[in-house]
Amino acid sequence: MASISDARNQTFMNPLMENNLTNNLTFELTWVREGNVSSANTEESYVESLNSASAYLWIIFSPIFLFVGVFGNILNLFVLRRMHFEKNPTLTLLFLLSFTDMTVLLVGLPRYWAQNALGFDLRTVSQFSCKLSLFLIYISMQLSSWILVMVSVIRMVKTVLPIRYPRKKFRVTRKNTLIAFGIVVISLFIVNFHFFFTNGVVTEDGEASCTSLTPEFLNFDEYVFVYIDFLVLSIFPAIVIVVCNVLIYLVLKEMKQRRLSSASTEKVTSNSVSRVTRMLFVTSSYFVIATVPISVHFIVDSYVRPGSDDLTEAQLDMSNTVLYLFQYSHFVINFYCYTVTNKRFRRTVQKLKVEMKNSWPRIWRQSRVPSDSYDVNSTIDSNKKASLSAVSKST
């Protein structure tokens, strides 16, 4: 009997157990599906947040950097003109550096602002605008790097070599500096000239973009030229600048130790050399810190981005935005670094400020005088002069 009852219980319980198992499996599948949907929604919202943050960074900081940077570089030109840059090779290079930095800001920042604020890429206006924009942004950034290299070499020659080789004369003239500058410009022109035939406006699915024209050119840009740019823009200039700065620091340290027993004129010379060197040391060091990370990012991006998911692309875009803006800040702050770190530059800025402050009221008063009054006064003065000359002739 027991076996019969047990068999009956099993026959009645099996459907119940099957129903429970089915319900549990349904619940678990629903929970997993909902979990996957919620995680997908979370990832999608995170991607949108990264893209929005990247766009807002460009929209906010691009006009700020553009205004502050162009204004500062224009002031650089005025101040260096007052300092008679044409008589000093170092100041001549800093004068040229201001033009180069303004080119970087004017070519690069408006494009990123329009791209993120208006959804329009200025490079896609025409084939020529695409090619010229790429060429200008690369050559101007690289030229800015190599101008700092030349400045560092000049400071090293003027500071280190006379101490190490006191019997020999080392002269750095403006003519030699301009020749070296011309050689650098020609070399960088050759390095970047390929943009005029490897890149252009390509339309895919109704959307135009400024990119490589063929897969072969794309492979060259992504896996060959990225290393060339890394070496030319960052590595070679950074090595030369660091070596020059270390040599200058060691010589200045030695000069500081010798100053205690030296004449007062040598002290003054040492102080002036130290001030100029400190200014250039700050500028060149900031260049190295701001330029190397974005160059490394471009290399990483060329390998990671192809075939990546939306989240990885958004993270790469965010990294590109932050590091690129950091690099652009280098082209913005030179005037302010010069003002803070160099007393002579700061005094020239103060004199220029006083002159502008005194000249504006006079210009304002003259602008408020009607033009007719100038004509009347000039007529009266001419009549007086004519009558006086007539009287003198009659006498």
Side-chain angles (χ1 to χ4, degrees):
M1 294 291 295
S3 61
I4 296 175
S5 62
D6 291 340
R8 288 177 179 176
N9 290 335
Q10 289 178 0
T11 56
F12 284 110
M13 289 178 65
N14 285 336
L16 294 175
M17 291 178 65
E18 289 178 358
N19 289 333
N20 290 333
L21 289 173
T22 303
N23 292 334
N24 290 334
L25 288 173
T26 303
F27 174 77
E28 290 177 358
L29 290 173
T30 304
W31 182 80
V32 170
R33 190 181 300 111
E34 290 179 352
N36 291 334
V37 171
S38 62
S39 63
N41 292 333
T42 302
E43 181 176 323
E44 184 178 353
S45 63
Y46 181 58
V47 169
E48 292 179 357
S49 299
L50 284 176
N51 292 331
S52 299
S54 178
Y56 279 118
L57 285 175
W58 282 116
I59 294 171
I60 293 171
F61 283 98
S62 291
I64 295 174
F65 281 4
L66 186 63
F67 174 77
V68 176
V70 172
F71 178 75
N73 282 295
I74 291 175
L75 287 179
N76 264 346
L77 299 177
F78 280 105
V79 174
L80 292 171
R81 181 67 186 88
R82 292 297 183 92
M83 297 172 68
H84 302 287
F85 73 92
E86 65 277 1
K87 299 179 180 180
N88 187 307
T90 300
L91 298 184
T92 299
L93 289 175
L94 295 182
F95 191 83
L96 296 171
L97 181 64
S98 297
F99 281 107
T100 306
D101 289 350
M102 279 194 291
T103 302
V104 173
L105 297 174
L106 292 172
V107 173
L109 291 177
R111 182 226 173 193
Y112 284 106
W113 184 87
Q115 198 172 24
N116 291 277
L118 306 177
F120 176 70
D121 190 354
L122 295 175
R123 288 180 180 173
T124 60
V125 172
S126 66
Q127 293 287 348
F128 182 72
S129 65
C130 170
K131 300 172 188 292
L132 183 64
S133 176
L134 284 169
F135 175 78
L136 286 178
I137 196 66
Y138 273 91
I139 195 172
S140 56
M141 283 187 173
Q142 294 168 1
L143 183 58
S144 179
S145 303
W146 284 94
I147 289 176
L148 289 176
V149 169
M150 288 188 286
V151 169
S152 300
V153 171
I154 289 175
R155 297 314 304 171
M156 188 270 295
V157 170
K158 288 187 174 183
T159 305
V160 177
L161 297 185
I163 300 298
R164 293 287 181 256
Y165 308 97
R167 295 184 179 181
K168 294 184 179 181
K169 294 183 179 180
F170 299 93
R171 293 189 60 189
V172 179
T173 63
R174 183 170 178 266
K175 180 180 178 180
N176 294 337
T177 302
L178 292 178
I179 291 174
F181 178 78
I183 294 173
V184 170
V185 171
I186 294 172
S187 301
L188 295 180
F189 186 90
I190 295 172
V191 169
N192 296 283
F193 186 73
H194 70 92
F195 284 116
F196 286 102
F197 57 86
T198 60
N199 285 256
V201 179
V202 177
T203 303
E204 292 183 1
D205 299 329
E207 184 176 352
S209 61
C210 178
T211 184
S212 304
L213 293 175
T214 65
E216 292 77 15
F217 291 154
L218 179 62
N219 184 74
F220 172 77
D221 288 336
E222 293 291 330
Y223 301 106
V224 178
F225 185 75
V226 67
Y227 288 100
I228 296 175
D229 181 61
F230 180 50
L231 295 174
V232 175
L233 176 68
S234 301
I235 295 302
F236 290 158
I239 291 173
V240 177
I241 288 172
V242 170
V243 170
C244 289
N245 285 339
V246 169
L247 293 175
I248 292 171
Y249 170 77
L250 294 176
V251 167
L252 290 179
K253 185 177 180 181
E254 181 181 345
M255 291 174 66
K256 185 177 180 180
Q257 295 174 352
R258 292 170 51 187
R259 261 192 322 185
L260 298 176
S261 58
S262 62
S264 59
T265 56
E266 186 176 346
K267 292 181 182 180
V268 173
T269 303
S270 177
N271 286 331
S272 62
V273 171
S274 178
R275 285 194 298 267
V276 175
T277 303
R278 184 169 58 249
M279 176 186 75
L280 300 176
F281 178 81
V282 171
T283 305
S284 58
S285 298
Y286 191 85
F287 152 76
V288 174
I289 297 172
T291 304
V292 173
I294 185 64
S295 299
V296 174
H297 169 81
F298 285 150
I299 295 176
V300 174
D301 185 271
S302 63
Y303 288 96
V304 176
R305 186 177 293 273
S308 60
D309 55 7
D310 293 339
L311 178 59
T312 304
E313 288 189 358
Q315 291 172 340
L316 289 172
D317 290 339
M318 189 64 184
S319 173
N320 177 80
T321 299
V322 173
L323 295 178
Y324 221 168
L325 285 172
F326 184 42
Q327 184 189 24
Y328 272 108
S329 68
H330 159 68
F331 306 103
V332 174
I333 66 166
N334 282 341
F335 168 78
Y336 310 98
C337 286
Y338 301 160
T339 305
V340 171
T341 56
N342 187 266
K343 185 181 291 185
R344 183 189 172 194
F345 193 91
R346 190 162 55 248
R347 283 200 305 263
T348 308
V349 172
Q350 293 296 332
K351 290 179 181 178
L352 184 62
K353 187 189 301 184
V354 171
E355 291 179 6
M356 293 180 64
K357 184 178 180 181
N358 293 334
S359 63
W360 275 114
R362 184 174 65 255
I363 297 173
W364 174 253
R365 286 195 301 269
Q366 291 177 355
S367 65
R368 292 186 58 88
V369 176
S371 58
D372 294 339
S373 62
Y374 285 104
D375 297 334
V376 172
N377 293 332
S378 61
T379 304
I380 294 173
D381 292 339
S382 61
N383 291 334
K384 286 182 179 180
K385 291 179 179 179
S387 61
L388 289 174
S389 61
V391 170
S392 62
K393 287 181 180 179
S394 62
T395 55

